[in-house]
Coordinates of all heavy atoms in Angstrom, one line a residue:
G1 N 84.2 91.0 99.8 CA 83.7 90.3 101.0 C 84.8 89.6 101.8 O 85.9 89.6 101.4
P2 N 84.4 89.1 102.9 CA 85.4 88.4 103.8 C 86.2 87.3 103.2 O 87.3 87.1 103.5 CB 84.5 87.9 105.0 CG 83.2 88.6 104.9 CD 83.0 89.0 103.5
G3 N 85.6 86.5 102.4 CA 86.3 85.4 101.7 C 86.6 85.7 100.3 O 87.0 84.8 99.5
G4 N 86.6 87.0 99.9 CA 86.8 87.3 98.5 C 88.2 87.6 98.1 O 89.1 87.5 98.9
W5 N 88.4 87.9 96.9 CA 89.7 88.1 96.3 C 90.5 89.2 97.0 O 91.6 89.0 97.3 CB 89.6 88.4 94.8 CG 90.9 88.7 94.2 CD1 91.7 87.8 93.7 CD2 91.5 90.0 94.1 NE1 92.9 88.4 93.2 CE2 92.8 89.8 93.5 CE3 91.2 91.3 94.4 CZ2 93.7 90.8 93.2 CZ3 92.1 92.3 94.1 CH2 93.3 92.1 93.5
C6 N 89.8 90.3 97.3 CA 90.5 91.4 97.9 C 91.1 91.0 99.3 O 92.2 91.3 99.6 CB 89.6 92.6 98.1 SG 90.4 94.1 98.5
A7 N 90.3 90.3 100.1 CA 90.8 89.8 101.4 C 91.9 88.8 101.3 O 92.8 88.8 102.1 CB 89.6 89.3 102.2
K8 N 91.8 87.9 100.3 CA 92.7 86.8 100.3 C 94.0 87.1 99.4 O 95.1 86.6 99.7 CB 92.0 85.5 99.7 CG 91.0 84.9 100.6 CD 90.5 83.6 100.0 CE 89.6 82.9 101.0 NZ 89.1 81.7 100.5
H9 N 93.8 87.8 98.3 CA 94.9 88.0 97.4 C 95.3 89.5 97.1 O 96.4 89.7 96.7 CB 94.5 87.4 96.0 CG 94.2 85.9 96.1 ND1 95.2 85.0 96.1 CD2 93.0 85.3 96.2 CE1 94.6 83.8 96.2 NE2 93.3 83.9 96.3
G10 N 94.4 90.4 97.4 CA 94.6 91.8 97.0 C 95.2 92.7 98.0 O 95.6 93.8 97.8
R11 N 95.3 92.2 99.3 CA 95.7 93.0 100.4 C 97.0 93.7 100.2 O 97.2 94.9 100.5 CB 95.7 92.3 101.7 CG 94.3 92.1 102.3 CD 93.8 93.4 102.8 NE 92.5 93.2 103.5 CZ 91.3 93.6 103.0 NH1 91.2 94.2 101.9 NH2 90.3 93.3 103.7
P12 N 98.0 93.1 99.7 CA 99.3 93.8 99.5 C 99.2 95.0 98.6 O 100.0 96.0 98.7 CB 100.3 92.8 99.0 CG 99.7 91.5 99.3 CD 98.2 91.7 99.3
I13 N 98.3 95.0 97.6 CA 98.2 96.1 96.7 C 97.0 97.0 96.8 O 96.9 98.1 96.4 CB 98.4 95.6 95.2 CG1 97.4 94.5 94.9 CG2 99.8 95.1 95.0 CD1 97.4 94.0 93.5
I14 N 95.9 96.4 97.3 CA 94.6 97.1 97.5 C 94.3 97.0 99.0 O 94.1 95.9 99.5 CB 93.5 96.5 96.6 CG1 93.9 96.6 95.2 CG2 92.2 97.2 96.9 CD1 93.8 98.0 94.5
A15 N 94.1 98.1 99.7 CA 93.9 98.1 101.1 C 92.6 97.6 101.6 O 92.6 97.0 102.7 CB 94.1 99.6 101.6
S16 N 91.6 97.7 100.8 CA 90.3 97.3 101.3 C 89.3 97.1 100.2 O 89.6 97.5 99.0 CB 89.7 98.3 102.3 OG 89.4 99.5 101.6
D17 N 88.1 96.5 100.5 CA 87.1 96.4 99.5 C 86.7 97.7 98.9 O 86.5 97.9 97.7 CB 85.9 95.7 100.1 CG 86.0 94.2 100.2 OD1 87.0 93.6 99.6 OD2 85.1 93.5 100.8
N18 N 86.6 98.7 99.8 CA 86.2 100.1 99.3 C 87.2 100.7 98.4 O 86.9 101.3 97.4 CB 85.9 101.0 100.5 CG 84.6 100.7 101.2 OD1 83.7 100.1 100.6 ND2 84.5 101.0 102.4
A19 N 88.5 100.5 98.7 CA 89.6 101.0 97.8 C 89.5 100.3 96.5 O 89.7 100.9 95.4 CB 90.9 100.7 98.5
L20 N 89.2 99.0 96.5 CA 89.1 98.3 95.2 C 87.9 98.8 94.4 O 87.9 98.9 93.2 CB 89.0 96.8 95.4 CG 88.9 95.9 94.2 CD1 90.2 96.1 93.3 CD2 88.8 94.4 94.5
R21 N 86.8 99.0 95.1 CA 85.6 99.5 94.4 C 85.9 100.9 93.8 O 85.5 101.1 92.6 CB 84.4 99.7 95.4 CG 83.8 98.4 95.8 CD 82.5 98.6 96.7 NE 81.9 97.3 96.9 CZ 82.1 96.5 98.0 NH1 83.0 96.9 98.8 NH2 81.5 95.4 98.1
Y22 N 86.6 101.7 94.5 CA 87.0 103.0 93.9 C 88.0 102.8 92.7 O 87.8 103.5 91.7 CB 87.7 103.9 95.0 CG 88.2 105.2 94.5 CD1 87.3 106.2 94.3 CD2 89.5 105.4 94.2 CE1 87.7 107.5 93.8 CE2 89.9 106.7 93.7 CZ 89.0 107.7 93.5 OH 89.5 108.9 93.1
F23 N 88.9 101.9 92.8 CA 89.9 101.6 91.8 C 89.2 101.1 90.5 O 89.6 101.4 89.4 CB 90.9 100.6 92.3 CG 91.9 100.2 91.3 CD1 93.0 100.9 90.9 CD2 91.8 98.9 90.7 CE1 93.9 100.5 90.0 CE2 92.7 98.5 89.7 CZ 93.8 99.3 89.4
L24 N 88.2 100.3 90.7 CA 87.6 99.6 89.5 C 86.6 100.6 88.9 O 85.4 100.4 89.0 CB 86.9 98.3 89.9 CG 87.8 97.2 90.3 CD1 87.0 96.0 90.8 CD2 88.7 96.8 89.2
S25 N 87.1 101.5 88.2 CA 86.2 102.5 87.4 C 85.5 101.7 86.4 O 85.8 100.5 86.0 CB 87.1 103.5 86.7 OG 87.9 103.0 85.7
P26 N 84.4 102.2 85.8 CA 83.6 101.5 84.8 C 84.5 101.1 83.6 O 84.3 100.0 83.1 CB 82.6 102.5 84.3 CG 82.4 103.4 85.5 CD 83.7 103.5 86.2
E27 N 85.5 101.9 83.2 CA 86.4 101.5 82.1 C 87.2 100.3 82.5 O 87.4 99.4 81.7 CB 87.3 102.7 81.7 CG 86.5 103.9 81.2 CD 86.0 104.8 82.3 OE1 86.4 104.7 83.4 OE2 85.1 105.6 82.0
I28 N 87.8 100.3 83.6 CA 88.7 99.2 84.1 C 87.8 98.0 84.2 O 88.2 96.9 83.8 CB 89.4 99.5 85.4 CG1 90.4 100.6 85.1 CG2 90.1 98.3 86.0 CD1 91.1 101.2 86.4
K29 N 86.7 98.1 84.8 CA 85.8 97.0 85.0 C 85.4 96.4 83.7 O 85.4 95.1 83.5 CB 84.5 97.4 85.8 CG 83.8 96.3 86.5 CD 82.6 96.9 87.3 CE 82.9 97.9 88.2 NZ 81.8 98.4 89.0

């Protein structure tokens, strides 16, 4: 989300919320 971790802290390594959703497979989650 707009105020979430991905937007505030993850941008240098994860491009977007959708990229993070794809990255977080059930095993990783």
Side-chain angles (χ1 to χ4, degrees):
W5 177 85
C6 192
K8 290 184 175 184
H9 301 279
R11 282 291 185 248
I13 53 174
I14 301 288
S16 67
D17 281 351
N18 285 337
L20 183 60
R21 282 184 177 93
Y22 179 77
F23 175 78
L24 292 176
S25 66
E27 295 82 20
I28 292 173
K29 204 180 301 182

